[in-house]
Amino acid sequence: MPKIHLIERIVNLKITNKENNEWDSYCWAIAEDTAAKLVGGQIYLHQAQDKPSHFGGTILSYRVLGLDANKAAGEIPGRIVFNFKATLDCKNVKAGKDGWGMEKKIIWDN
């Protein structure tokens, strides 16, 4: 199952379905084909590379922000938004030192 660890410098989280504990995390500079391959995998949000994740879950879907994105709300056209179901097993997970680049770490096999 693929996993993505992301450094969340600005809290760009929004609950989308309270009943199902679904959230959107945005505005990520990730290629759309990469985002598509991550669906069904896990997302882990960190405050720093050496800190354990503070939030995360199973990626349900993604979308690409369009030209109508609201820059005032921290949205940038062309960036990725992940929709995920929050789970406790994605909290307090360390990503390790190796493999980080551009504030993200993707793990394809496990």
Side-chain angles (χ1 to χ4, degrees):
M1 163 182 348
K3 298 174 179 157
I4 187 165
H5 295 265
L6 296 161
I7 303 297
E8 189 179 43
R9 300 266 183 228
I10 301 170
V11 179
N12 281 335
L13 281 171
K14 182 171 33 171
I15 192 153
T16 58
N17 185 321
K18 191 172 184 177
E19 187 175 299
N20 292 331
N21 203 17
E22 292 178 17
W23 294 77
D24 276 352
S25 177
Y26 56 99
C27 179
W28 302 108
I30 296 171
E32 186 174 0
D33 62 330
T34 300
K37 292 175 188 172
L38 289 165
V39 172
Q42 303 299 115
I43 185 171
Y44 302 88
L45 302 175
H46 301 260
Q47 293 177 337
Q49 289 180 12
D50 62 344
K51 303 277 186 200
S53 59
H54 62 88
F55 201 56
T58 302
I59 299 171
L60 303 173
S61 63
Y62 76 94
R63 71 180 186 280
V64 180
L65 290 170
L67 294 176
D68 60 341
N70 181 354
K71 288 186 181 183
E75 299 176 356
I76 300 170
R79 295 284 178 102
I80 297 292
V81 177
F82 288 108
N83 177 258
F84 66 96
K85 181 177 178 73
T87 58
L88 286 176
D89 62 336
C90 289
K91 190 173 181 179
N92 292 319
V93 175
K94 290 189 176 183
K97 295 179 184 179
D98 299 328
W100 286 93
M102 303 296 291
E103 299 192 328
K104 62 182 165 282
K105 177 178 180 176
I106 299 173
I107 302 168
W108 295 109
D109 347 288
N110 193 13

